[in-house]
């Protein structure tokens, strides 16, 4: 397994470590744990190491037009200095990966895909890139940190950096004497920033942010809390809500598709699904009892017929209840009751609206 540039920082803190997309990353830290780390992000501020995420660049004349044919969203809708959530699909509409595209200019883009999919994203883009466009894998040249929570803006300001920027905007700033990309985004539903330093600068930037957080009673957080936070928002995770078999239309991610574009990979299938509907679609479920849904559990109607499957499930620290995202038959609506097979025991759940917890990202 690969290690983050902050690996020794996590070992020193005696973090519980696990495999994330081939990277050994922290799940939680002693003295806090997932529940306390989750609470810190919702109420104050938390800092995550997400350096396992991929990094790549696409540059050269025609890069905007090329990527607009490759990705689902419409990059022509954002200006320089803005980022956009988008997807790379195959010809059948299945999702190779979902990623963030940073637009430096029409000829220069910085991409952050998922850890385990970075090589596939780069391979696909390289195989399709016309002459003059360069696609480069930068996975181990940059780290990625995520500062999230109501006090994130104040932490950044305390470092002498202007934290005021629109959602999904980014800028090059100095933190700890290091040049970093500061972007107003994240994966928690809270006001926050993702900070991208050079690989060799990651420890310096990390230490500065950890020190600055102390004045706000912040917590260093692991990827366990990141997962509970994103599930409360209903944010999709590749390999769960988005796969080569689950399209963005099925996953209720049609908002990340530039439907007015003339063409893009998978457009035919996705437009047909949008018009005709899908066999199953993503819904949110909230447990009515003590059952905790987990990925892969079967969802049934009240008569016991199988109607879907859980794609992500967890205990919600905010709601103090089990929550899930599930692909189920599209005939079900908010307020309908279903049952989940929790290891052979029937657990009652209600179809809910998203997000489970209020979002403060904008």
């Amino acid at each position: 397994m690969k290690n983050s540039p902050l690996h020794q920082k996590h070992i020193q803190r005696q973090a519980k470590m696990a495999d994330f997309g081939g990277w050994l990353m922290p799940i939680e830290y002693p003295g806090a744990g997932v529940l306390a780390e989750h609470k810190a992000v919702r109420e104050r501020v938390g800092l995550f190491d997400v350096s396992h995420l991929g990094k790549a660049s696409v540059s050269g004349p025609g890069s905007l037009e090329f990527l607009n044919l490759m990705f689902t969203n419409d990059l022509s809708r954002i200006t320089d200095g803005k980022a956009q959530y988008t997807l790379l699909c195959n010809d059948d509409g299945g999702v190779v990966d979902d990623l963030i595209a940073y637009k430096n200019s029409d000829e220069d883009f910085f991409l952050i895909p998922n850890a385990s999919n970075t090589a596939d994203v780069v391979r696909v883009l390289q195989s399709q890139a016309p002459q003059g466009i360069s696609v480069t894998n930068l996975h181990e040249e940059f780290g990625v940190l995520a500062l999230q929570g109501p006090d994130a803006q104040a932490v950044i300001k305390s470092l002498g950096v202007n934290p005021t920027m629109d959602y999904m905007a980014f800028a090059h700033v100095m933190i700890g004497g290091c040049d970093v990309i500061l972007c107003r985004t994240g994966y928690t539903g809270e006001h926050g920033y993702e900070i991208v330093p050079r690989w060799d600068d990651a420890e310096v930037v990390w230490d500065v942010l950890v020190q600055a957080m102390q004045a706000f009673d912040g917590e260093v957080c692991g990827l366990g809390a990141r997962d509970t936070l994103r599930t409360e928002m209903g944010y999709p995770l590749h390999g769960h809500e988005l796969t080569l078999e689950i399209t963005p239309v099925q996953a209720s991610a049609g908002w990340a598709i530039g439907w007015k574009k003339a063409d893009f990979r998978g457009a035919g299938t996705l437009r047909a699904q949008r018009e005709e509907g899908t066999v199953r679609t993503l819904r949110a479920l909230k447990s009515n009892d003590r059952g905790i849904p987990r990925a892969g559990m079967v969802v049934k109607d009240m008569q016991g017929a199988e109607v879907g499957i859980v794609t992500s499930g967890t205990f919600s620290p905010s709601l103090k209840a089990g929550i899930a995202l599930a692909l189920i038959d599209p005939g079900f609506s908010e307020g309908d009751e279903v049952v989940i097979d929790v290891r052979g025991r029937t657990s009652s759940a209600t179809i809910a609206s998203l997000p489970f917890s209020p979002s403060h990202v904008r």
Side-chain angles (χ1 to χ4, degrees), residues 1 17-25 27:
M1 275 186 288
M17 308 290 284
D19 177 13
F20 282 82
W23 291 68
L24 191 62
M25 299 297 292
I27 298 178

Side-chain angles (χ1 to χ4, degrees), residues 38 42 188-190 226-235 284 314-321 323 325 353-359:
H38 180 111
R42 287 280 181 253
T188 65
E190 296 300 329
R226 189 169 184 260
D227 191 60
T228 57
L229 290 158
R230 73 95 189 169
T231 305
E232 287 186 350
M233 290 298 106
Y235 293 157
T314 190
F315 173 79
S316 165
S318 299
L319 301 183
K320 304 294 189 295
I323 60 173
L325 302 175
S353 61
L354 288 172
F356 288 105
S357 182
S359 173

Side-chain angles (χ1 to χ4, degrees), residues 38-80:
H38 180 111
K39 181 179 174 69
V41 172
R42 287 280 181 253
E43 297 180 358
R44 303 182 307 279
V45 65
L47 179 66
F48 301 82
D49 175 18
V50 287
S51 297
H52 62 305
L53 294 175
K55 307 96 194 171
S57 68
V58 178
S59 60
S63 291
L64 173 62
E65 292 77 12
F66 166 61
L67 290 178
N68 247 1
L69 284 172
M70 300 301 293
F71 295 158
T72 58
N73 217 332
D74 189 352
L75 284 166
S76 68
R77 295 174 58 190
I78 64 171
T79 57
D80 298 354

Side-chain angles (χ1 to χ4, degrees), residues 71-213:
F71 295 158
T72 58
N73 217 332
D74 189 352
L75 284 166
S76 68
R77 295 174 58 190
I78 64 171
T79 57
D80 298 354
K82 290 291 185 71
Q84 185 182 73
Y85 176 83
T86 190
L87 305 107
L88 173 65
C89 291
N90 60 23
D91 292 335
D92 297 324
V95 181
V96 177
D97 199 19
D98 62 331
L99 63 152
I100 303 291
Y102 289 60
K103 183 184 178 186
N104 295 307
S105 72
D106 287 357
E107 298 184 0
D108 184 11
F109 290 84
F110 183 73
L111 310 179
I112 300 188
N114 286 292
S116 60
N117 297 331
T118 301
D120 287 339
V121 169
V122 170
R123 175 184 53 79
V124 170
L125 294 179
Q126 287 178 339
S127 71
Q128 300 296 314
Q131 188 173 2
I133 292 181
S134 175
V135 181
T136 307
N137 191 333
L138 303 173
H139 205 152
E140 294 182 57
E141 294 193 24
F142 295 90
V144 185
L145 315 182
L147 185 73
Q148 302 283 296
D151 290 331
Q153 186 176 39
V155 172
I156 295 296
K157 188 175 183 180
S158 74
L159 299 174
V161 175
N162 181 5
T164 304
M165 57 178 66
D166 293 337
Y167 182 61
M168 297 299 280
F170 67 91
H172 288 266
V173 303
M174 300 294 290
I175 293 181
C178 303
D179 181 36
V180 304
I181 303 170
L182 180 71
C183 188
R184 250 278 280 132
T185 185
Y187 199 49
T188 65
E190 296 300 329
H191 186 107
Y193 304 84
E194 290 189 327
I195 300 124
V196 184
R198 300 291 303 190
W199 188 271
D200 292 341
D201 292 335
E203 285 194 352
V204 172
V205 176
W206 174 267
D207 287 344
V208 168
L209 290 168
V210 169
Q211 177 68 29
M213 279 200 312

